[in-house]
Amino acid sequence: MANMVELKNIHKSFGDNHILKGVDMSIKKGEVVVILGPSGSGKTTLLRTINFLDAADEGSVSVHDFTVDCKKHSKSQVIELRRKTAMVFQNYNLFQNKTILENVMEGLVTVKKFKKSDAEKVSREILAKVGLAERCDFYPSQLSGGQQQRAGIARALILDPDVILFDEPTSALDPELVGEVLNTIKAVAQTGITMIVVTHEIAFAKEVASRVVFMEGGVVVEEGKPEEILVAPKEPRTQQFLRRITNPNAAEEATA
Amino acid sequence: MINFKFILESIPSLIGAIPITLLMAFSAAIIGWILGLGIALIRKNKVPVVSQICAVFVSFMRGVPIIILLYIAYYALPIAIYNYGVSIGREIDTSTVPAVIYAIIALVLDQAAYSSEIFRSALSAVDEGQMEACYSVGMTKSQALMRIILPQAMAIALPNLGGLFLGLVKGTSLAYYVGVYEITATANLLAMPALNFIEAYIMTTLIYEILSFIFNKCFRQVENRFKRFRATATA
Ligand SMILES: Nc1ncnc2c1ncn2[C@@H]1O[C@H](COP(=O)(O)OP(=O)(O)O)[C@@H](O)[C@H]1O
Ligand SMILES: [Mg+2]
């Protein structure tokens, strides 16, 4: 097996709007890839083309040696690809009509055909790991954003996916809740699972990323080790972006 | 003066007419709502051609007075069936079909149209992220619908379905016009000989009020069961 995830020449348009303009990406097993980039640069869309929540118009997606051609794909291929991936959403998207425990069990029971009792056992274990042992029987609407997102991470992890896709997992959270979720993600990263994380948390990226990818305007502008991209980026666009998000006041003054 | 003797004597007959009213209401609701849900799903998924046919059906049904629908079902349907029988070389005797069947058919169509609009808006009210989360864990579309989307849509639809059902119970009184001896027809029949119409209508009103009250309570119960996940309290 060469790569855990391989994207080749991904193009995606919404109407006349060409959003992704030929993205290539190869990710090895166990890599933690952090994607940075300004709002609207196509980061979310790129993640969504990997699990076909949005099908790309061109190119191919491979996960764990299973390749799907974006132009001509069958329903069963898409399902199989999705079963190799899991996603953590910006707005958590927990199943509102299910308890936290049921949220985590759902994929095991419905998709992986686990016996209910087995599914419940492992789900409780994983919820304990993310610090939600006491919250198993609560509904998502009864939890804080941070708790919901940790449940979302548990729901993704339990499926033992080949890759987990995180789309700005902390950007909908109140500032005081960001830390607990980032710590949970760090712990997940240490287990050696392959991850792609879209985030604006630079300190977090420095700590956990094995590679940082900077995107703008639907293309990868620059990528490399976190110390290269985050500390000494070569591209002016990357430099400008980092200046803006590490020092928002300066950016405001500059544009004022 | 109010004739209390008449009222007392009419009670058993009126209560005896309740089952036929309920038979119409429940069969129309169960069949009509299943059809309505189907129509809503077809229209939501924009199934080509069928979706447009459903849209025309719904808009037509919403424009037709229910009494006309009853007349069409009662007078036109048997002729249509008879002619169809002739065209395939058989003589179908429709005279043995009880009137209540035609009434139910008309009410089913009415309920299908109205409930489809309720289901459609309920389905749209479920956050799109829910379906995406289902897909992200590898569920098929039908698994997602059955386990996640429909239960949430039901919780949203229930208050409106409750209202629709109460309207339906009252709407069954129109079956009187095609000769179904439900509550209203029975009351009229009893009142006729001695012109006790006031008494008969008081009793009829009372029975419909009691039925409404009971069904309202039942729907509230079901609503609360469905809505338990919508708790607002924060842990
Ligand atoms: N479903 C959609 N329909 C139309 N335009 C979309 C859709 N999803 C995203 N876009 C557009 O694609 C662009 C990139 O969006 P997105 O991938 O969300 O960027 P990012 O996550 O980097 O902020 C935006 O201009 C957005 O308006
Ligand atoms: Mg985004």
Side-chain angles (χ1 to χ4, degrees):
Chain A
M1 179 184 65
N3 290 307
M4 197 50 130
V5 179
E6 185 136 343
L7 307 180
K8 285 197 184 133
N9 192 32
I10 299 291
H11 282 268
K12 175 71 185 173
S13 300
F14 291 110
D16 292 336
N17 228 345
H18 198 176
I19 304 297
L20 297 176
K21 301 168 182 163
V23 176
D24 295 284
M25 208 175 269
S26 300
I27 298 172
K28 292 197 175 53
K29 187 173 194 304
E31 264 198 287
V32 177
V33 174
V34 167
I35 301 181
L36 296 176
S39 179
S41 55
K43 306 179 298 294
T44 298
T45 308
L46 182 66
L47 286 189
R48 291 166 59 91
T49 59
I50 298 176
N51 64 357
F52 276 72
L53 288 185
D54 286 319
D57 307 322
E58 248 190 271
S60 67
V61 176
S62 309
V63 176
H64 207 157
D65 298 330
F66 180 75
T67 305
V68 181
D69 186 337
C70 298
K71 249 189 197 155
K72 37 177 202 268
H73 55 268
S74 67
K75 267 187 192 166
S76 62
Q77 280 180 316
V78 169
I79 294 264
E80 181 158 355
L81 190 73
R82 284 178 182 154
R83 288 178 181 176
K84 293 173 180 296
T85 65
M87 191 172 223
V88 174
F89 297 86
Q90 189 169 354
N91 298 316
Y92 336 124
N93 287 351
L94 294 179
F95 305 128
Q96 295 295 314
N97 58 326
K98 304 259 172 195
T99 63
I100 297 307
L101 178 66
E102 290 166 342
N103 262 273
V104 178
M105 288 170 59
E106 186 64 31
L108 288 181
V109 175
T110 313
V111 177
K112 299 209 157 181
K113 307 295 177 199
F114 271 48
K115 270 203 307 193
K116 262 205 161 151
S117 53
D118 296 342
E120 178 171 344
K121 188 164 165 289
V122 285
S123 298
R124 283 190 188 276
E125 280 166 17
I126 213 152
L127 280 165
K129 273 191 201 150
V130 299
L132 292 173
E134 322 274 82
R135 292 284 179 268
C136 285
D137 298 324
F138 284 62
Y139 285 95
S141 58
Q142 298 171 305
L143 299 188
S144 73
Q147 290 170 328
Q148 289 190 59
Q149 192 57 298
R150 283 186 278 141
I153 293 168
R155 178 177 70 181
L157 266 183
I158 194 92
L159 299 167
D160 193 23
D162 291 319
V163 56
I164 305 188
L165 314 168
F166 292 81
D167 186 16
E168 299 203 33
T170 59
S171 60
L173 295 173
D174 290 336
E176 78 268 23
L177 302 176
V178 169
E180 64 184 62
V181 172
L182 289 182
N183 285 335
T184 306
I185 300 175
K186 278 180 211 165
V188 174
Q190 274 151 18
T191 64
I193 191 163
T194 314
M195 309 191 342
I196 306 178
V197 188
V198 172
T199 183
H200 292 299
E201 300 286 338
I202 300 295
F204 167 82
K206 260 183 202 150
E207 198 176 333
V208 303
S210 44
R211 181 156 38 125
V212 174
V213 173
F214 178 72
M215 273 182 76
E216 193 178 312
V219 293
V220 172
V221 174
E222 188 172 8
E223 62 177 306
K225 294 212 170 312
E227 52 275 22
E228 295 166 14
I229 305 297
L230 298 174
V231 181
K234 295 194 188 71
E235 293 287 330
R237 281 186 285 178
T238 319
Q239 294 165 0
Q240 201 186 1
F241 173 76
L242 286 173
R243 260 203 310 279
R244 251 202 331 260
I245 70 167
T246 48
N247 193 351
N249 295 333
E252 265 167 42
E253 278 161 29
T255 54
Chain B
M1 270 319 291
I2 302 269
N3 183 344
F4 287 100
K5 185 161 167 288
F6 170 81
I7 287 186
L8 279 177
E9 283 172 0
S10 68
I11 287 176
S13 305
L14 286 174
I15 288 178
I18 293 178
I20 193 95
T21 291
L22 296 186
L23 171 74
M24 287 190 286
F26 281 119
S27 14
I30 292 169
I31 305 169
W33 295 0
I34 290 172
L35 291 174
L37 181 59
I39 292 172
L41 287 171
I42 286 169
R43 294 187 69 188
K44 183 103 209 305
N45 289 306
K46 304 202 168 63
V47 181
V49 189
V50 194
S51 173
Q52 280 83 346
I53 293 172
C54 288
V56 171
F57 167 78
V58 170
S59 128
F60 176 78
M61 281 299 157
R62 300 216 300 174
V64 172
I66 194 159
I67 183 72
I68 301 297
L69 216 52
L70 279 160
Y71 282 145
I72 293 175
Y74 186 67
Y75 292 108
L77 210 54
I79 296 171
I81 292 173
Y82 180 81
N83 286 342
Y84 172 75
V86 170
S87 78
I88 59 165
R90 285 186 50 206
E91 199 155 318
I92 301 173
D93 183 12
T94 51
S95 64
T96 56
V97 179
V100 68
I101 297 294
Y102 296 113
I104 289 174
I105 290 173
L107 294 169
V108 159
L109 295 178
D110 174 75
Q111 291 295 303
Y114 279 95
S115 68
S116 81
E117 291 291 281
I118 293 175
F119 286 123
R120 207 155 67 100
S121 75
L123 284 168
S124 314
V126 175
D127 182 25
E128 283 189 28
Q130 296 290 305
M131 189 55 126
E132 297 185 344
C134 293
Y135 285 153
S136 81
V137 300
M139 285 193 217
T140 62
K141 188 166 196 162
S142 53
Q143 286 171 335
L145 276 177
M146 294 310 292
R147 302 183 61 92
I148 307 296
I149 309 299
L150 288 182
Q152 292 184 40
M154 273 300 172
I156 299 168
L158 267 171
N160 289 328
L161 288 177
L164 187 64
F165 187 77
L166 294 189
L168 170 62
V169 172
K170 291 185 279 180
T172 57
S173 61
L174 292 170
Y176 164 44
Y177 290 99
V178 294
V180 177
Y181 282 96
E182 41 64 69
I183 298 168
T184 310
T186 306
N188 259 318
L189 197 71
L190 292 171
M192 219 73 92
L195 303 180
N196 297 114
F197 287 104
I198 301 294
E199 291 85 350
Y201 292 149
I202 289 174
M203 290 306 290
T204 318
T205 306
L206 208 61
I207 291 176
Y208 282 114
E209 288 292 345
I210 291 170
L211 289 179
S212 288
F213 178 81
I214 294 171
F215 288 128
N216 203 26
K217 276 263 182 272
C218 294
F219 264 93
R220 283 289 147 75
Q221 285 285 319
V222 181
E223 258 172 59
N224 288 335
R225 282 190 61 84
F226 262 86
K227 269 201 318 209
R228 68 194 187 285
F229 60 83
R230 290 235 216 122
T232 45
T234 314

PDB file of all heavy atoms in Angstrom, chain B residues 122-139:
ATOM      1  N   ALA B 122     -42.118  19.410   7.063  1.00  0.00           N
ATOM      2  CA  ALA B 122     -41.404  18.802   8.195  1.00  0.00           C
ATOM      3  C   ALA B 122     -40.064  18.232   7.737  1.00  0.00           C
ATOM      4  O   ALA B 122     -39.047  18.396   8.404  1.00  0.00           O
ATOM      5  CB  ALA B 122     -42.259  17.713   8.836  1.00  0.00           C
ATOM      6  N   LEU B 123     -40.063  17.578   6.574  1.00  0.00           N
ATOM      7  CA  LEU B 123     -38.805  17.029   6.054  1.00  0.00           C
ATOM      8  C   LEU B 123     -37.804  18.146   5.766  1.00  0.00           C
ATOM      9  O   LEU B 123     -36.608  18.008   6.045  1.00  0.00           O
ATOM     10  CB  LEU B 123     -39.060  16.226   4.768  1.00  0.00           C
ATOM     11  CG  LEU B 123     -39.682  14.839   4.962  1.00  0.00           C
ATOM     12  CD1 LEU B 123     -40.157  14.273   3.633  1.00  0.00           C
ATOM     13  CD2 LEU B 123     -38.680  13.885   5.607  1.00  0.00           C
ATOM     14  N   SER B 124     -38.303  19.266   5.233  1.00  0.00           N
ATOM     15  CA  SER B 124     -37.385  20.381   4.948  1.00  0.00           C
ATOM     16  C   SER B 124     -36.860  21.002   6.229  1.00  0.00           C
ATOM     17  O   SER B 124     -35.787  21.607   6.216  1.00  0.00           O
ATOM     18  CB  SER B 124     -38.084  21.470   4.140  1.00  0.00           C
ATOM     19  OG  SER B 124     -38.796  20.917   3.096  1.00  0.00           O
ATOM     20  N   ALA B 125     -37.627  20.860   7.309  1.00  0.00           N
ATOM     21  CA  ALA B 125     -37.204  21.485   8.562  1.00  0.00           C
ATOM     22  C   ALA B 125     -36.106  20.681   9.270  1.00  0.00           C
ATOM     23  O   ALA B 125     -35.456  21.187  10.167  1.00  0.00           O
ATOM     24  CB  ALA B 125     -38.400  21.668   9.487  1.00  0.00           C
ATOM     25  N   VAL B 126     -35.900  19.426   8.852  1.00  0.00           N
ATOM     26  CA  VAL B 126     -34.818  18.648   9.459  1.00  0.00           C
ATOM     27  C   VAL B 126     -33.499  19.151   8.859  1.00  0.00           C
ATOM     28  O   VAL B 126     -33.368  19.259   7.649  1.00  0.00           O
ATOM     29  CB  VAL B 126     -34.989  17.135   9.177  1.00  0.00           C
ATOM     30  CG1 VAL B 126     -33.800  16.346   9.714  1.00  0.00           C
ATOM     31  CG2 VAL B 126     -36.275  16.639   9.801  1.00  0.00           C
ATOM     32  N   ASP B 127     -32.573  19.476   9.727  1.00  0.00           N
ATOM     33  CA  ASP B 127     -31.298  20.037   9.292  1.00  0.00           C
ATOM     34  C   ASP B 127     -30.602  19.100   8.280  1.00  0.00           C
ATOM     35  O   ASP B 127     -30.541  17.898   8.488  1.00  0.00           O
ATOM     36  CB  ASP B 127     -30.413  20.226  10.527  1.00  0.00           C
ATOM     37  CG  ASP B 127     -29.079  20.859  10.168  1.00  0.00           C
ATOM     38  OD1 ASP B 127     -29.023  21.559   9.148  1.00  0.00           O
ATOM     39  OD2 ASP B 127     -28.109  20.639  10.915  1.00  0.00           O
ATOM     40  N   GLU B 128     -30.103  19.688   7.203  1.00  0.00           N
ATOM     41  CA  GLU B 128     -29.434  18.879   6.178  1.00  0.00           C
ATOM     42  C   GLU B 128     -28.205  18.156   6.715  1.00  0.00           C
ATOM     43  O   GLU B 128     -27.805  17.113   6.213  1.00  0.00           O
ATOM     44  CB  GLU B 128     -29.009  19.774   5.002  1.00  0.00           C
ATOM     45  CG  GLU B 128     -30.164  20.137   4.113  1.00  0.00           C
ATOM     46  CD  GLU B 128     -29.699  20.831   2.847  1.00  0.00           C
ATOM     47  OE1 GLU B 128     -28.563  20.557   2.421  1.00  0.00           O
ATOM     48  OE2 GLU B 128     -30.472  21.640   2.310  1.00  0.00           O
ATOM     49  N   GLY B 129     -27.611  18.739   7.749  1.00  0.00           N
ATOM     50  CA  GLY B 129     -26.450  18.112   8.375  1.00  0.00           C
ATOM     51  C   GLY B 129     -26.748  16.718   8.904  1.00  0.00           C
ATOM     52  O   GLY B 129     -25.857  15.885   9.027  1.00  0.00           O
ATOM     53  N   GLN B 130     -28.032  16.455   9.227  1.00  0.00           N
ATOM     54  CA  GLN B 130     -28.398  15.142   9.756  1.00  0.00           C
ATOM     55  C   GLN B 130     -28.194  14.058   8.695  1.00  0.00           C
ATOM     56  O   GLN B 130     -27.660  12.996   8.977  1.00  0.00           O
ATOM     57  CB  GLN B 130     -29.860  15.152  10.229  1.00  0.00           C
ATOM     58  CG  GLN B 130     -30.107  16.089  11.397  1.00  0.00           C
ATOM     59  CD  GLN B 130     -29.464  15.576  12.683  1.00  0.00           C
ATOM     60  OE1 GLN B 130     -29.698  14.465  13.116  1.00  0.00           O
ATOM     61  NE2 GLN B 130     -28.616  16.399  13.289  1.00  0.00           N
ATOM     62  N   MET B 131     -28.639  14.345   7.476  1.00  0.00           N
ATOM     63  CA  MET B 131     -28.470  13.391   6.388  1.00  0.00           C
ATOM     64  C   MET B 131     -26.977  13.196   6.097  1.00  0.00           C
ATOM     65  O   MET B 131     -26.515  12.080   5.875  1.00  0.00           O
ATOM     66  CB  MET B 131     -29.206  13.916   5.150  1.00  0.00           C
ATOM     67  CG  MET B 131     -29.293  12.933   4.012  1.00  0.00           C
ATOM     68  SD  MET B 131     -30.020  11.359   4.505  1.00  0.00           S
ATOM     69  CE  MET B 131     -31.311  11.176   3.330  1.00  0.00           C
ATOM     70  N   GLU B 132     -26.233  14.295   6.128  1.00  0.00           N
ATOM     71  CA  GLU B 132     -24.798  14.211   5.837  1.00  0.00           C
ATOM     72  C   GLU B 132     -24.082  13.380   6.897  1.00  0.00           C
ATOM     73  O   GLU B 132     -23.185  12.603   6.578  1.00  0.00           O
ATOM     74  CB  GLU B 132     -24.206  15.614   5.745  1.00  0.00           C
ATOM     75  CG  GLU B 132     -24.828  16.385   4.591  1.00  0.00           C
ATOM     76  CD  GLU B 132     -24.196  17.734   4.366  1.00  0.00           C
ATOM     77  OE1 GLU B 132     -23.488  18.218   5.278  1.00  0.00           O
ATOM     78  OE2 GLU B 132     -24.423  18.302   3.293  1.00  0.00           O
ATOM     79  N   ALA B 133     -24.499  13.553   8.147  1.00  0.00           N
ATOM     80  CA  ALA B 133     -23.891  12.746   9.210  1.00  0.00           C
ATOM     81  C   ALA B 133     -24.192  11.261   8.979  1.00  0.00           C
ATOM     82  O   ALA B 133     -23.328  10.410   9.172  1.00  0.00           O
ATOM     83  CB  ALA B 133     -24.407  13.192  10.576  1.00  0.00           C
ATOM     84  N   CYS B 134     -25.411  10.956   8.543  1.00  0.00           N
ATOM     85  CA  CYS B 134     -25.763   9.561   8.239  1.00  0.00           C
ATOM     86  C   CYS B 134     -24.851   9.015   7.149  1.00  0.00           C
ATOM     87  O   CYS B 134     -24.293   7.918   7.273  1.00  0.00           O
ATOM     88  CB  CYS B 134     -27.210   9.465   7.756  1.00  0.00           C
ATOM     89  SG  CYS B 134     -28.429   9.848   8.998  1.00  0.00           S
ATOM     90  N   TYR B 135     -24.714   9.786   6.089  1.00  0.00           N
ATOM     91  CA  TYR B 135     -23.840   9.351   4.988  1.00  0.00           C
ATOM     92  C   TYR B 135     -22.401   9.180   5.487  1.00  0.00           C
ATOM     93  O   TYR B 135     -21.706   8.253   5.092  1.00  0.00           O
ATOM     94  CB  TYR B 135     -23.864  10.377   3.857  1.00  0.00           C
ATOM     95  CG  TYR B 135     -25.121  10.366   3.023  1.00  0.00           C
ATOM     96  CD1 TYR B 135     -25.552  11.519   2.363  1.00  0.00           C
ATOM     97  CD2 TYR B 135     -25.879   9.205   2.875  1.00  0.00           C
ATOM     98  CE1 TYR B 135     -26.699  11.512   1.588  1.00  0.00           C
ATOM     99  CE2 TYR B 135     -27.028   9.195   2.105  1.00  0.00           C
ATOM    100  CZ  TYR B 135     -27.435  10.355   1.459  1.00  0.00           C
ATOM    101  OH  TYR B 135     -28.566  10.346   0.693  1.00  0.00           O
ATOM    102  N   SER B 136     -21.971  10.089   6.355  1.00  0.00           N
ATOM    103  CA  SER B 136     -20.561  10.058   6.776  1.00  0.00           C
ATOM    104  C   SER B 136     -20.238   8.792   7.572  1.00  0.00           C
ATOM    105  O   SER B 136     -19.096   8.353   7.593  1.00  0.00           O
ATOM    106  CB  SER B 136     -20.206  11.311   7.588  1.00  0.00           C
ATOM    107  OG  SER B 136     -20.630  11.174   8.925  1.00  0.00           O
ATOM    108  N   VAL B 137     -21.245   8.202   8.243  1.00  0.00           N
ATOM    109  CA  VAL B 137     -20.959   6.947   8.943  1.00  0.00           C
ATOM    110  C   VAL B 137     -21.241   5.739   8.051  1.00  0.00           C
ATOM    111  O   VAL B 137     -21.141   4.598   8.491  1.00  0.00           O
ATOM    112  CB  VAL B 137     -21.719   6.801  10.282  1.00  0.00           C
ATOM    113  CG1 VAL B 137     -21.355   7.917  11.231  1.00  0.00           C
ATOM    114  CG2 VAL B 137     -23.209   6.733  10.070  1.00  0.00           C
ATOM    115  N   GLY B 138     -21.623   5.984   6.804  1.00  0.00           N
ATOM    116  CA  GLY B 138     -21.757   4.891   5.841  1.00  0.00           C
ATOM    117  C   GLY B 138     -23.162   4.345   5.674  1.00  0.00           C
ATOM    118  O   GLY B 138     -23.364   3.287   5.086  1.00  0.00           O
ATOM    119  N   MET B 139     -24.159   5.066   6.189  1.00  0.00           N
ATOM    120  CA  MET B 139     -25.541   4.575   6.024  1.00  0.00           C
ATOM    121  C   MET B 139     -26.005   4.773   4.590  1.00  0.00           C
ATOM    122  O   MET B 139     -25.555   5.680   3.888  1.00  0.00           O
ATOM    123  CB  MET B 139     -26.495   5.367   6.925  1.00  0.00           C
ATOM    124  CG  MET B 139     -26.417   5.028   8.373  1.00  0.00           C
ATOM    125  SD  MET B 139     -27.858   5.780   9.186  1.00  0.00           S
ATOM    126  CE  MET B 139     -27.126   6.265  10.704  1.00  0.00           C
TER     127      MET B 139
END
